[in-house]
Amino acid sequence: MRDVPHSWPSCLCHGLISFLGFLLLLLTFPISGWFALKIVPTYERMIVFRLGRIRNPQGPGMVLLLPFLDSFQRVDLRTRAFNVPPCKLASKDGAVLSVGADVQFRIWDPVLSVMTVKDLNTATRMTAQNAMTKALLRRPLREIQMEKPKVGEQLLLEINEVTRAWGLEVDRVELAVEAVLQPPQDSPAGPSLDSTLQQLALHLLGGGMNLRAGSTLPPGPALPATSVDTMEMVSEVQQPAVHAEAWAGPSPKQPVAEGLLVALQPFLSEALVSQVGACYQFNIVLPGGAQNTYFLDLTTGRGRVGRGMPDHIPDVVVEMAEADLQALLCRELRPLGAYMSGRLQVKGDLAVAMKLEAVLCTLK
């Protein structure tokens, strides 16, 4: 990246203009000295461009610049640090976690740091984030939690493979696991967001089929469990036909979300309220661009469900398009995939959102 040989006319012009610059500096000295002399601290180096050509790093100490010919850029050689903001990542075993990192780096070649990258901090941060994403995809959640120093050392090597070509060396990488948003898929510790939403949707779909057939719902949770169990026990070959029939019948006048909430009404109880104790708001975007708002309030009494805004600020707000909701119920879209891609947005505490599992238990 440094100077390459130039033709003799170019070198002659360069030398002549530089000589005239020195002559002008001498003729106007000492006034020009206030502008031409620069002090470079020990921890800095000055990269000087004379007529567009880069020179060797200058400093520390006093550096002489030619007026109108030289431009310069200071490079700090001290160790600096930045943090990679927490982002949602998936591990090898399907867990979703919020992970950030603290990175310390220093510049070992000032010329390369100026010549190769325009914004060194941004480029290094993006490189660290990409390396962190790839590293965590290859490891299960338990290994990430128990061997964070080892994972940080591996990240250090992978980041340096890229950044050393920029004249930059990373000295330390420390992972920071903010929260586990979803446990591993094969973990017995608790239900995942994927399984909770999928099973809840299938149970509510069964209720929606009963409504569509014209049957009257009982006043309590006495809905026959056989119909729900039948939905779960259908073989893989027969499932597409059941789903197609399920969505072929709803009345076009009744939105999908409204039918699901009406099916949920008979199962509300004081026991469910004491177990969940949260208020949910569902914003469903219709194909025309309009938005319908529904609520599920499990904070007082037997709980309430209906259309519109809840009476108080909801604990969790779920936003998604009606087409995506229908795709979830037909198993054409996975809840985890919708959540990670932003098609299913959960605003609020995800742990409170996971309490929808209690609603699922009442339907079984």
Side-chain angles (χ1 to χ4, degrees):
M1 299 297 295
R2 290 171 172 81
D3 283 343
V4 295
H6 294 271
S7 60
W8 67 267
S10 176
C11 293
L12 180 62
C13 292
H14 186 275
L16 179 60
I17 297 176
S18 299
F19 173 75
L20 294 177
F22 273 112
L23 183 60
L24 177 63
L25 179 64
L26 293 176
L27 293 177
T28 57
F29 195 83
I31 298 176
S32 59
W34 293 101
F35 306 98
L37 295 177
K38 302 293 181 181
I39 304 299
V40 180
T42 303
Y43 55 83
E44 283 187 355
R45 295 296 182 269
M46 181 177 289
I47 305 300
V48 179
F49 294 88
R50 178 163 296 171
L51 296 176
R53 296 184 184 179
I54 192 169
R55 305 181 66 199
N56 292 329
Q58 306 293 312
M62 187 176 296
V63 177
L64 179 65
L65 301 178
L66 297 182
F68 310 112
L69 302 182
D70 291 347
S71 60
F72 66 92
Q73 182 173 338
R74 295 179 182 267
V75 178
D76 196 330
L77 302 182
R78 293 175 292 183
T79 298
R80 287 176 284 176
F82 65 85
N83 68 303
V84 179
C87 55
K88 292 180 290 187
L89 300 176
S91 62
K92 183 179 180 180
D93 51 3
V96 180
L97 57 160
S98 176
V99 184
D102 297 325
V103 181
Q104 295 181 359
F105 69 97
R106 60 182 179 86
I107 294 175
W108 64 272
D109 191 325
V111 175
L112 284 178
S113 68
V114 173
M115 295 289 292
T116 54
V117 182
K118 182 178 180 180
D119 191 338
L120 198 62
N121 290 337
T122 302
T124 307
R125 182 177 286 104
M126 293 179 61
T127 301
Q129 186 169 356
N130 292 337
M132 184 175 64
T133 303
K134 295 178 181 178
L136 298 188
L137 284 174
R138 301 192 298 263
R139 291 175 170 83
L141 176 62
R142 182 176 180 84
E143 181 179 346
I144 296 173
Q145 293 177 326
M146 301 298 294
E147 301 182 2
K148 286 196 296 183
K150 181 179 178 181
V151 177
E153 292 176 1
Q154 183 63 32
L155 282 176
L156 182 67
L157 297 177
E158 294 181 3
I159 296 173
N160 275 330
E161 289 181 2
V162 178
T163 59
R164 286 192 64 85
W166 304 341
L168 181 145
E169 184 175 8
V170 176
D171 296 329
R172 182 170 174 266
V173 177
E174 182 177 354
L175 283 180
V177 180
E178 300 290 334
V180 178
L181 305 179
Q182 173 180 307
Q185 294 180 355
D186 56 353
S187 172
S192 65
L193 176 66
D194 196 353
S195 62
T196 299
L197 293 177
Q198 186 69 72
Q199 294 180 49
L200 178 60
L202 289 175
H203 281 285
L204 291 178
L205 177 60
M209 291 176 63
N210 292 333
L211 286 177
R212 190 175 53 257
S215 60
T216 304
L217 286 171
L223 186 66
T226 55
S227 62
V228 176
D229 295 337
T230 303
M231 285 291 297
E232 292 186 346
M233 298 302 295
V234 173
S235 65
E236 295 292 334
V237 177
Q238 296 175 348
Q239 279 184 3
V242 173
H243 295 147
E245 179 185 356
W247 291 111
S251 171
K253 297 181 180 179
Q254 184 182 43
V256 176
E258 190 166 334
L260 296 179
L261 293 180
V262 171
L264 181 61
Q265 178 68 45
F267 297 94
L268 301 182
S269 63
E270 295 181 359
L272 184 62
V273 170
S274 62
Q275 186 176 1
V276 178
C279 180
Y280 302 89
Q281 177 179 325
F282 304 92
N283 298 332
I284 307 300
V285 181
L286 302 179
Q291 178 176 290
N292 285 347
T293 302
Y294 305 91
F295 68 90
L296 173 61
D297 189 355
L298 298 176
T299 57
T300 58
R302 293 176 52 89
R304 296 189 308 116
V305 61
R307 183 170 182 175
M309 299 289 295
D311 295 336
H312 51 85
I313 299 177
D315 300 289
V316 175
V317 178
V318 179
E319 296 184 0
M320 66 186 311
E322 187 179 41
D324 293 334
L325 176 60
Q326 182 169 339
L328 281 173
L329 301 182
C330 294
R331 287 191 173 181
E332 297 174 359
L333 177 65
R334 295 188 59 192
L336 178 59
Y339 176 71
M340 295 294 292
S341 63
R343 297 170 65 178
L344 170 62
Q345 300 182 12
V346 179
K347 298 181 181 179
D349 190 351
L350 195 60
V352 178
M354 295 297 295
K355 289 185 178 181
L356 287 172
E357 176 69 13
V359 181
L360 171 63
C361 294
T362 64
L363 298 177
K364 291 183 178 180

